[in-house]
Structure formats: C-alpha cells, structure tokens
Amino acid sequence: MILPVSSFDDKKTQFKASDSQEKSLPKSDTLLNNNIVTRSRIAMDKFTKAFTVYPARGLKGSINSDFYEFLTMGTVPYIVGSLTLMSVFNSAAKHFEGFDQKAAYKLGNKMALGVIFYALAKTLSKSLVNLPVKWITGVDTQLPYVKVNHQLPENKNDFDLTSYEYHKVGESVEFTRWDLLYGDPNKKGELNKRYDKIAKRNGLGTNLNDSDQAVKPMYKEVLVKSNLARTISSYLWAAAGVALAFQKPWESYFKVATGKFWNTKDFSHSIKVFRDSLVDSAKEFWSPSGATGKFEKYSGKAVVGLAAAATILGVLNTIHIKNKPSKVSEKDVFDANKESVVG
C-alpha cells in the first residue's frame, strides 16, 4: 500500500511501481493501521517526494500539482533551515584562531544538538497526549488513511494516472472522514463496530441503535481539544529539549564524537560517553551546580514542570467530554397516564 521507490520518470514526474506492486494498490480511499511501521513508511514516502516528484511537477506547471503537494514540500525549507543552523558556527569556526575557534565549535555543536533535540522532543512528546487519549476515550486522533486521486492526463499518451496522498481521518474537524470508520454493511455487527467500541468505552451503553450518531459529536470534541493540547505541550517539550542540549556536560561527548561506526572501538566509546553526558546534562539541567540565583537554580525545573503540567492538563481537558448524548428517554418525558396532544 505504501510502496518503495522503483523508478522516476522525468516526463511524467511520478514514481512508478512494479506490476506486482500495482496489483496491491488500493482502488479507493483506504484506512491504514496506526503503527510505527506505517507511520515510518508514510514519513519516508512524503519526505522523498517532497524533494523529487512534487517540486518537479510544480516547476513544470503540472495541472496535477495540488495543495497537498505544496504543504508536503514544507519539509524542504524546514530541513534546509535546520542544517544551516546546525552548520553556521562549525562552518565558520575554521576561519577563527585559538580561543575563538574553540568557543565557536562549542557553540556550534550545542546548536546542532539543540536542533536535533528540538525535533525529537516536539515529535515524540505528541504521543504523551495521543496515547492516553486513545486509551481512555477509544478515539485514535491520528488514525491514517491513503487517499486515491485520479489525475488529469497531461499529454495524449497519459491514461489512468493515479496519485496517493496520506491523511488522517480526523485531520479536519468539519470534514472528518466518517465513512472510513464504518465497517462492512453486509456483515452483521460490523457496520458500526468502531462506533460501538467508542460508545462503550465512554459509558454510552451497548447495543445502541445508532451508535455512530451518538459518538460523532464527542469524537469532534476530542479532536479539537487534543489538537490544542498536542500543540501547546509539544512546543514546551521542544524548548526543554533545546535547553538540555546546551548543558556543559555535552562538551565531553563532543570531544570524542564520531560517526565512523566501522571503527567499533571508538564508536562504542562515543556511545558510552553520549549516554553519560545525557545523564549528567539532565542532572545539570534539573539542578544546576553553579547556580548563583533563584532564576538560574529553578529555571530547568520550571521548564520541565510547565511542559508536564500542560500535557497533563491537556489530556484531562480532552477526556472531559461534554458532548455526550442525554440519557433521558422519552419515558422520562411523557407520562402515558396523562393526556397529551400531538401537534
């Protein structure tokens, strides 16, 4: 379903799959399993096409170049900017002399590590919201699916052009892909199976006649609240990651850091020093040894505490669902022993 690159056609500016792969391609929008393998393949597919297929289509003015491709190409300036920030001091340091060169390398290395920790913390911390919300409410706010686009022919030899986009079911609150959450209508108990599970998880009962209608309002509420919680907390954890990268113990690692994994002795030693530097930096970040004032002494605790508090409060706010259907039945409203008028 998510295919590796096999060839690139300059004329059509699209990746081609082998005959065996084409047989396994979905013919319509299809829900995907939300696991690390699927997420990794989607990320790799979007990353590859952001640097190859999509820019080529845009540059030649393809009628099939769309907004999805434009958004996906946002990865390019993000990565280029990150690499620039990582190399700006290290690239210029060789032109300095003595102490200035040493200081430039120290700052450059910490900036490079800060960029990496920023990306990792911002990405990984989102699971601190996504997973608890999924466990408690049953709503997977990051459920992916593949969207099949039938493209317009660009020349007389084109026919049956198809492209694939990767989205999330709850990507748009107003245009949530409810249709993908339904099961097979020809199988008993399968049509509303997903909705039944969510309804049961949230105390709405079992064997509901229209569990989908009962679940949809609360599903939307969870999407909105989780988006807010994820955005706020991820940036706070990213800030903590950058602060961690600027701690002094990392200087020990920079002295022995090596990417030559074939030199097993030096590489193993650098991994050990990295681990020790990470632990020592975390301790220094949490409780600075040379702190001279209260701000410096408690700043690390404040950053981590604020990020943790934002995550916890965000999750609690998300799972506190207000848009649940009323449990009042018509028996509680109408008294069969009294006269009533139907207008």
Side-chain angles (χ1 to χ4, degrees), residues 3-297:
L3 304 175
V5 177
S6 55
S7 66
F8 180 75
D9 189 334
D10 289 325
K11 294 182 179 179
K12 295 184 179 180
T13 62
Q14 65 179 359
F15 286 110
K16 292 183 176 180
S18 63
D19 293 338
S20 60
Q21 290 172 335
E22 287 185 355
K23 292 178 180 179
S24 64
L25 291 174
K27 302 300 181 183
S28 60
D29 298 357
T30 305
L31 208 60
L32 303 175
N33 292 323
N34 187 10
N35 53 47
I36 190 170
V37 174
T38 301
R39 292 194 296 270
S40 298
R41 289 179 176 175
I42 291 175
M44 181 57 66
D45 181 88
K46 295 175 74 173
F47 175 82
T48 304
K49 291 181 179 178
F51 281 88
T52 54
V53 177
Y54 298 158
R57 283 181 182 169
L59 289 172
K60 79 168 191 174
S62 171
I63 57 176
N64 290 312
S65 184
D66 56 24
F67 192 58
Y68 170 83
E69 297 181 4
F70 169 76
L71 292 178
T72 303
M73 285 191 292
T75 306
V76 177
Y78 182 84
I79 292 177
V80 172
S82 297
L83 292 175
T84 301
L85 190 61
M86 293 170 70
S87 63
V88 64
F89 276 89
N90 291 332
S91 298
K94 60 184 179 182
H95 300 293
F96 301 151
E97 296 181 0
F99 178 79
D100 291 337
Q101 185 181 85
K102 186 177 180 180
Y105 275 125
K106 281 184 179 180
L107 181 58
N109 288 332
K110 287 182 179 179
M111 287 183 67
L113 192 62
V115 170
I116 295 173
F117 279 10
Y118 173 91
L120 288 175
K122 188 172 182 293
T123 302
L124 298 178
S125 64
K126 292 179 180 180
S127 295
L128 298 177
V129 174
N130 297 335
L131 293 179
V133 168
K134 181 181 177 181
W135 292 333
I136 297 171
T137 67
V139 177
D140 187 351
T141 60
Q142 303 300 300
L143 191 61
Y145 73 94
V146 56
K147 185 176 186 297
V148 181
N149 285 334
H150 299 287
Q151 299 181 320
L152 298 171
E154 297 187 22
N155 58 61
K156 62 181 182 180
N157 295 320
D158 290 341
F159 63 94
D160 196 24
L161 296 180
T162 307
S163 68
Y164 298 88
E165 300 177 2
Y166 300 100
H167 298 273
K168 295 181 177 63
V169 170
E171 190 171 85
S172 170
V173 177
E174 294 301 322
F175 301 99
T176 306
R177 291 297 304 270
W178 303 117
D179 56 308
L180 297 177
L181 297 179
Y182 289 102
D184 188 348
N186 297 318
K187 294 182 180 180
K188 185 178 180 181
E190 288 293 319
L191 181 61
N192 282 350
K193 186 176 181 180
R194 288 180 181 273
Y195 294 106
D196 291 339
K197 288 182 179 180
I198 297 175
K200 183 179 180 181
R201 183 74 63 88
N202 291 276
L204 302 183
T206 58
N207 300 320
L208 301 178
N209 292 329
D210 299 297
S211 60
D212 55 335
Q213 299 305 314
V215 163
K216 286 177 182 179
M218 54 169 291
Y219 198 108
K220 284 187 175 184
E221 182 181 347
V222 170
L223 289 177
V224 174
K225 290 182 175 180
S226 64
N227 284 339
L228 177 64
R230 188 166 48 247
T231 300
I232 295 175
S233 65
S234 64
Y235 278 107
L236 290 173
W237 283 115
V242 174
L244 177 63
F246 274 80
Q247 300 306 308
K248 187 175 179 60
W250 285 113
E251 294 175 10
S252 299
Y253 169 69
F254 296 143
K255 293 178 181 178
V256 300
T258 178
K260 299 178 180 179
F261 58 88
W262 54 88
N263 191 334
T264 55
K265 183 178 180 181
D266 291 344
F267 187 71
S268 298
H269 179 63
S270 70
I271 293 297
K272 181 180 181 300
V273 176
F274 176 87
R275 181 193 62 196
D276 295 338
S277 297
L278 177 60
V279 173
D280 293 340
S281 293
K283 292 179 180 178
E284 185 68 17
F285 177 46
W286 182 258
S287 183
S289 56
T292 56
K294 287 186 176 181
F295 177 80
E296 189 177 356
K297 183 177 181 180

